[in-house]
Amino acid sequence: MTENAHQQPPAPDTELPTQYAPADVERPLYERWVERGYFEADAKSDKPAYTIVIPPPNVTGSLHLGHAFEHTLIDALTRRKRMQGFETLWQPGMDHAGIATQNVVERELGKEGKSRHDLGREAFVERVWQWKAESGGQISGQMRRLGDGVAWSRERFTMDEGLSQAVQTIFKRLYDDELIYRAERIINWCPRCLTAISDIEVEYQDDDGELVSMKYGEGDETIVVATTRAETMLGDTAVAVHPEDERYKHLIGKHIRLPLTERSIPVVADEHVDPEFGTGAVKVTPAHDPNDFEIGQRHDLPSITVMDEHAVITTPGPFQGLDRLEARSAIVAALRAEGRIVAEKRPYVHSVGHCSRCKTTIEPRLSMQWWVKVGPLAKAAGDAVREGKVKIHPQEMEKRYFDWVDNLHDWCISRQLWWGHRIPVWYGPDGEVVCVGPDEEPPSGEGWRQDTDVLDTWFSSGLWPFSTLGWPEQTESLAKFYPNSVLVTGYDILFFWVARMMMFGLYAMDGTPPFHTIALHGMVRDQFGKKMSKSFGNAVNPLDWMDKYGSDALRFTLARGANPGVDVPIGEDWVQGSRNFANKIWNATRFALMNGATVEGPLPEPAKMSATDRWILSRLNSVIAEVDAFYDDFQFAKLSDALFHFAWDEVFDWYVELSKTTFQAGGEPAEVSKRVLGEVLDVTLRLLHPVVPFVTETLWTTLTGGESVVIAEWPADSGFRDAGAEREIETLQSVITEVRRFRADQGLQPGQRVPARLILDGTALAPHEAAIRQLLRLQPEGEAFTATATLPVAGAEVALDLSGTIDVAAERKRLAKDLAAAEKEKAQATAKLGNEAFLAKAPDQVVDKIRTRLTKADEDITRIQAQLDRLPQA
């Protein structure tokens, strides 16, 4: 049998309130767990380590359903491992969120009529730290509400002193290894945030724009090009055609006039051009398009920047000072006036990049930036998965990972912000460039200045699995808890964060990957599968549901929808259903305690147990094994469903109900069942605890007298199985279910008592007569008993006397009417399915619907006819 994990027997006078009130117990329980240090991790422990880092939420944020979902899964994993005897570390912390945080504080300044430039860099950064101290911690309070079992004493922030040292250290190492460099290249520029952003921070969406075809050159030396960004033509330095395109061979190498300017530009031959697309000729603007930049590099073309950082035209002339969209219209109008517009298409729907932070349309822009040479780092990250050092779960997500790391472009890591890790590079008066490590003094003296840019937020969060453990110092925590056991995160940041951690972890930790397993989950959506968004009006504050239904209810709902890598729909009625489950656990445990359920002493020998006792213990061990397998495969939905149905259906609806007659009869069988019920509840509560920690803590400590289920032993499958008892109880369940169905069909109320004769001799049901009668509300047969309906079930017979309970004639009339309707439905469906002309024309879904109607009609006819056959003759 399973071993109990408790320290002392329960007080005999312990009672539970009549109703479970989450609001009364959740906060005090969590505070007690933290005070007692249950979630802390000891690097000196000789227990095996189990480590998970929290995907650091933005300091600007608050707990949304996505956080609640992810945290529930991580908390379930770590609570179970803690119970299994692991030294468990769930590492908490927050990300400084460079762009997002700077935007928030700048908006606050705007309310005062100021900008960051009014304060200056040092004072502005101080203002951000002040904001962080006042407002940035709300998410930690919300994590406590959810029950997150994190090691609060180890909480880190990506801008704290230790992590800043880690950032500077790895920058210096990468720089010295020539894996970080500075170069002028095309970047994604946000004219609103006034900074470069990486490729993965650009969100693409279909926008209405315009496609303008315009004529360059004169006479026989005319070429038509098309663009959606006419304003960039001011920076064109060539027209490119394919070298084999016969239409333009006579122009290759010649110069043609660029309209609206005093310049002429060459026609160059480049294999990048698709001769089948459009006119087969493309304008080349090296300073404002990444593909054009590459063409420019190949043909040594000049790069002319025509816009400033605000996307305002800087080229001298009539368009100078216009915003890019204003300039677009003005330039098209000017070209039209010169007769150079060949075609205009409006609206022209095309994919346009937007800043993921502020949604402004990004502007490709030539800029001097810092870059990570990702080639060797990305190869190592790909090889770690290919060689099995790191497993991705579910495995089908590997392809997405490889598609990304195998095709990574160099990473632009500099941001034109003030909030963040400042790039540790100094420039001297004579062109010197010095990268400074954390233990080095920066150069000083006249003319020396530090780079003004800061690092991309993902640069510091990419160090999270080891920087939080004290790296670059060789700490005890680093030795104990690195690499992490598993990373639990959404597939949507596989590229943002996971790939960065893989690259940096392998580089900094001598080829040791940051985690053994990457467990990817999907996104939380509404009950109709639609993305949750404030603009859609379907966004939900998880605190509202926790206030209304309790944190356990929200957690269980989220876990029950968590299939690996698949999006999770959620609706309020599902959370309400989970609240009902918590109430069911509460009420069943309260009943058990009131009837003497106990965990004292060893379990009785199987020979002393009833078949019902042996059945539930056999099922209990099967469920333990099943739940363990699901946990190891990150199948949270399946393990939650298995526990739900075992607890509600088998323990509460069957075992507790079947035990009532035993308890009423008293004697040794009742004492045995009380001990078995205590065991089953003890183990079931421990199995449920990682997902629903609050209600299980209250019930388990009351039942067992133990200190806390948080530190209780995780149940182990003892191997006990009793197939015979399982078959016997399955037979009993089938009898009770069948008779209940018949009673319902006859319109009997659930509590209505009916005289019955049970013929059970020679069957496995004989010992269960008292339970059958109690559960089915069957009275003993009296002298005037008349068997008006007989149900043969599982080799036994249940004869019922319905003469005093229903109007047989009226019931026959009702059933005859239902039977006629079902037969008519069958005839209509059969006729349609037999009509070849109809089948030839009808859509497949219509035909399938009719087949379904036919199947249901057949089932209804069989069911109604059986009910009629059971009724006595009127």
Side-chain angles (χ1 to χ4, degrees):
M1 303 305 161
T2 55
E3 182 181 350
N4 279 295
H6 58 276
Q7 297 185 352
Q8 61 188 29
D13 58 347
T14 298
E15 291 186 2
L16 290 169
T18 55
Q19 291 185 326
Y20 176 50
D24 294 342
V25 302
E26 290 180 351
R27 195 179 302 276
L29 281 183
Y30 190 85
E31 290 173 357
R32 189 185 313 155
W33 292 335
V34 173
E35 287 167 5
R36 293 179 178 178
Y38 293 154
F39 305 138
E40 296 303 322
D42 182 4
K44 293 182 170 64
S45 167
D46 58 3
K47 296 178 183 178
Y50 186 81
T51 316
I52 296 181
V53 293
I54 191 173
N58 288 354
V59 68
T60 58
S62 60
L63 192 74
H64 56 63
L65 269 180
H67 288 126
F69 172 55
E70 186 168 79
H71 291 199
T72 294
L73 305 187
I74 299 175
D75 198 40
L77 290 173
T78 51
R79 283 179 182 270
R80 172 175 176 259
K81 285 296 181 180
R82 192 176 292 112
M83 295 171 75
Q84 286 182 317
F86 286 77
E87 193 62 35
T88 302
L89 170 60
W90 183 8
Q91 173 67 52
M94 285 184 289
D95 193 289
H96 66 278
I99 296 176
T101 305
Q102 181 157 317
N103 283 347
V104 168
V105 178
E106 285 196 84
R107 281 197 296 270
E108 293 298 311
L109 282 175
K111 295 174 184 177
E112 302 170 15
K114 298 178 182 178
S115 74
R116 60 182 165 118
H117 300 286
D118 294 323
L119 272 66
R121 183 168 192 146
E122 187 175 338
F124 176 77
V125 170
E126 182 59 36
R127 180 71 176 260
V128 180
W129 277 109
Q130 179 184 338
W131 176 88
K132 189 257 181 186
E134 294 171 356
S135 308
Q138 66 170 320
I139 200 165
S140 64
Q142 294 165 336
M143 288 167 60
R144 293 167 187 266
R145 280 291 315 278
L146 190 65
D148 287 2
V150 300
W152 287 111
S153 69
R154 293 173 172 266
E155 186 175 12
R156 304 305 298 268
F157 179 55
T158 51
M159 286 281 287
D160 67 25
E161 184 177 351
L163 271 67
S164 295
Q165 182 184 26
V167 168
Q168 195 171 351
T169 299
I170 201 162
F171 187 99
K172 171 70 171 172
R173 291 188 186 180
L174 289 164
Y175 181 87
D176 290 346
D177 287 343
E178 298 183 348
L179 292 173
I180 282 183
Y181 63 94
R182 191 168 184 248
E184 189 175 45
R185 296 170 63 174
I186 293 286
I187 47 93
N188 304 298
W189 181 263
C190 176
R192 159 61 184 81
C193 297
L194 298 180
T195 181
I197 60 176
S198 66
D199 290 344
I200 55 177
E201 291 170 299
V202 178
E203 294 179 348
Y204 287 89
Q205 66 185 48
D206 287 341
D207 286 356
D208 286 346
E210 61 180 1
L211 180 66
V212 179
S213 298
M214 46 197 181
K215 185 167 54 177
Y216 285 11
E218 307 290 347
D220 294 337
E221 296 181 353
T222 296
I223 291 184
V224 175
V225 297
T227 182
T228 58
R229 299 162 66 219
E231 68 279 8
T232 63
M233 60 88 59
L234 298 175
D236 286 358
T237 56
V239 171
V241 298
H242 193 276
E244 302 302 322
D245 194 331
E246 293 294 335
R247 293 170 295 177
Y248 303 118
K249 276 193 172 181
H250 67 290
L251 291 177
I252 294 173
K254 293 185 177 181
H255 282 66
I256 60 175
R257 182 191 163 212
L258 178 64
L260 307 183
T261 72
E262 299 301 321
R263 295 189 291 117
S264 63
I265 58 176
V267 178
V268 299
D270 195 284
E271 291 188 353
H272 167 78
V273 179
D274 180 2
E276 303 298 323
F277 183 77
T279 64
V282 296
K283 59 192 285 300
V284 181
T285 321
H288 291 278
D289 184 275
N291 293 323
D292 293 2
F293 177 79
E294 298 297 332
I295 294 175
Q297 294 289 100
R298 288 193 288 272
H299 297 278
D300 199 24
L301 299 173
S303 296
I304 301 175
T305 300
V306 300
M307 278 178 261
D308 66 11
E309 60 184 7
H310 297 280
V312 171
I313 300 298
T314 57
T315 303
F319 311 110
Q320 187 173 13
L322 295 180
D323 170 83
R324 56 182 165 169
L325 297 181
E326 295 171 333
R328 183 176 301 171
S329 299
I331 286 171
V332 170
L335 289 168
R336 190 183 299 114
E338 286 193 4
R340 290 189 173 274
I341 297 298
V342 176
E344 297 178 70
K345 185 176 181 180
R346 296 188 189 90
Y348 178 72
V349 179
H350 62 131
S351 182
V352 177
H354 297 260
C355 172
S356 62
R357 299 295 181 189
C358 70
K359 312 309 177 187
T360 301
T361 300
I362 62 102
E363 187 65 43
R365 185 170 188 256
L366 187 63
S367 180
M368 182 67 75
Q369 301 285 345
W370 285 95
W371 304 80
V372 172
K373 186 184 295 182
V374 300
L377 302 174
K379 182 181 184 303
D383 290 345
V385 175
R386 288 189 173 93
E387 295 167 5
K389 294 179 183 176
V390 178
K391 289 182 168 53
I392 293 179
H393 191 279
Q395 191 173 359
E396 55 265 26
M397 287 285 181
E398 282 186 3
K399 183 179 184 303
R400 296 181 65 174
Y401 177 79
F402 291 134
D403 285 346
W404 180 254
V405 297
D406 293 346
N407 297 286
L408 268 179
H409 299 296
D410 284 1
W411 172 19
C412 177
I413 56 171
S414 45
R415 299 291 180 267
Q416 288 64 55
L417 305 171
W418 288 355
W419 172 245
H421 295 101
R422 196 162 173 183
I423 288 176
V425 172
W426 272 256
Y427 305 106
D430 298 318
E432 303 96 330
V433 179
V434 177
C435 181
V436 178
D439 300 323
E440 301 171 350
E441 287 295 324
S444 58
E446 187 175 348
W448 283 93
R449 61 183 178 84
Q450 185 178 359
D451 196 300
T452 57
D453 289 350
V454 301
L455 288 164
D456 178 11
T457 297
W458 297 103
F459 190 95
S460 52
S461 59
L463 314 181
W464 193 247
F466 52 93
S467 64
T468 52
L469 298 173
W471 187 91
E473 302 299 323
Q474 297 305 305
T475 63
E476 288 183 323
S477 290
L478 189 65
K480 178 72 174 180
F481 297 113
Y482 187 92
N484 294 181
S485 306
V486 62
L487 174 75
V488 179
T489 192
Y491 63 70
D492 60 321
I493 56 173
L494 181 62
F495 317 131
F496 283 89
W497 190 44
V498 179
R500 310 298 193 207
M501 288 189 289
M502 286 286 283
M503 290 192 295
F504 282 164
L506 289 160
Y507 173 79
M509 301 300 293
D510 300 320
T512 301
F515 18 73
H516 298 301
T517 302
I518 302 167
L520 297 171
H521 59 72
M523 304 293 98
V524 178
R525 297 182 178 272
D526 72 13
Q527 59 189 318
F528 306 107
K530 191 174 181 180
K531 181 180 177 180
M532 285 193 171
S533 166
K534 290 181 180 178
S535 60
F536 294 156
N538 62 351
V540 173
N541 183 347
L543 294 176
D544 292 341
W545 282 353
M546 286 191 278
D547 288 343
K548 194 170 182 180
Y549 303 110
S551 298
D552 285 334
L554 177 64
R555 289 171 60 116
F556 193 70
T557 305
L558 291 166
R560 209 171 171 196
N563 292 296
V566 178
D567 288 347
V568 183
I570 185 172
E572 184 170 1
D573 54 337
W574 303 344
V575 185
Q576 185 174 354
S578 295
R579 188 272 314 273
N580 295 343
F581 179 52
N583 289 343
K584 185 80 170 180
I585 302 170
W586 183 273
N587 292 333
T589 306
R590 185 170 177 271
F591 166 85
L593 288 168
M594 290 170 62
N595 283 274
T598 180
V599 296
E600 291 187 68
L603 278 170
E605 291 298 316
K608 294 183 178 181
M609 296 180 188
S610 68
T612 309
D613 295 330
R614 287 180 279 113
W615 159 72
I616 198 64
L617 289 173
S618 180
R619 287 292 304 126
L620 177 66
N621 279 285
S622 295
V623 169
I624 293 171
E626 193 176 7
V627 167
D628 278 335
F630 286 144
Y631 262 115
D632 293 342
D633 199 35
F634 305 102
Q635 298 281 357
F636 296 98
K638 291 182 179 178
L639 72 90
S640 299
D641 218 43
L643 287 170
F644 174 86
H645 288 294
F646 175 71
W648 192 307
D649 300 345
E650 298 186 76
V651 178
F652 306 149
D653 279 358
W654 283 108
Y655 183 70
V656 168
E657 291 300 316
L658 289 170
S659 299
K660 286 180 179 178
T661 53
T662 308
F663 294 157
Q664 289 168 2
E668 185 179 2
E671 296 307 309
V672 169
S673 290
K674 289 175 184 178
R675 179 64 188 87
V676 171
L677 178 55
E679 177 78 6
V680 171
L681 286 174
D682 168 18
V683 173
T684 301
L685 291 169
R686 282 187 275 151
L687 289 172
L688 282 165
H689 173 72
V691 182
V692 284
F694 294 106
V695 68
T696 51
E697 170 80 342
T698 304
L699 296 175
W700 187 86
T701 52
T702 303
L703 173 71
T704 69
E707 179 185 340
S708 173
V709 71
V710 176
I711 55 172
E713 184 178 344
W714 181 254
D717 175 10
S718 69
F720 175 77
R721 302 289 191 279
D722 191 323
E726 290 195 34
R727 286 193 299 271
E728 183 173 327
I729 301 306
E730 285 171 9
T731 301
L732 175 61
Q733 289 171 328
S734 68
V735 170
I736 292 171
T737 301
E738 181 65 24
V739 177
R740 279 177 173 167
R741 185 180 297 118
F742 175 73
R743 286 177 55 109
D745 288 342
Q746 306 310 312
L748 297 176
Q749 295 301 313
Q752 190 172 350
R753 294 196 168 274
V754 179
R757 177 185 299 145
L758 305 185
I759 304 173
L760 308 176
D761 292 344
T763 73
L765 299 172
H768 302 286
E769 179 168 354
I772 292 172
R773 286 191 176 276
Q774 179 162 319
L775 291 176
L776 292 173
R777 304 293 191 271
L778 302 180
Q779 297 176 185
E781 55 186 295
E783 291 183 5
F785 178 82
T786 303
T788 58
T790 302
L791 283 73
V793 189
E797 279 190 2
V798 178
L800 304 174
D801 184 352
L802 305 178
S803 56
T805 58
I806 62 172
D807 184 335
V808 175
E811 185 63 14
R812 278 191 166 277
K813 186 176 181 181
R814 183 185 70 81
L815 289 172
K817 184 178 179 181
D818 290 347
L819 182 60
E823 288 173 339
K824 181 179 180 182
E825 175 73 2
K826 177 180 179 178
Q828 290 175 341
T830 302
K832 284 192 174 181
L833 293 174
N835 185 334
E836 294 296 336
F838 170 78
L839 294 176
K841 295 179 181 179
D844 290 345
Q845 60 266 31
V846 173
V847 176
D848 289 343
K849 190 173 182 180
I850 294 171
R851 289 197 178 106
T852 301
R853 283 170 48 197
L854 178 59
T855 301
K856 184 177 184 305
D858 278 330
E859 292 172 351
D860 288 345
I861 290 168
T862 302
R863 176 180 55 81
I864 296 167
Q865 189 61 60
Q867 291 175 238
L868 281 166
D869 292 343
R870 289 170 184 151
L871 284 174
Q873 295 300 317

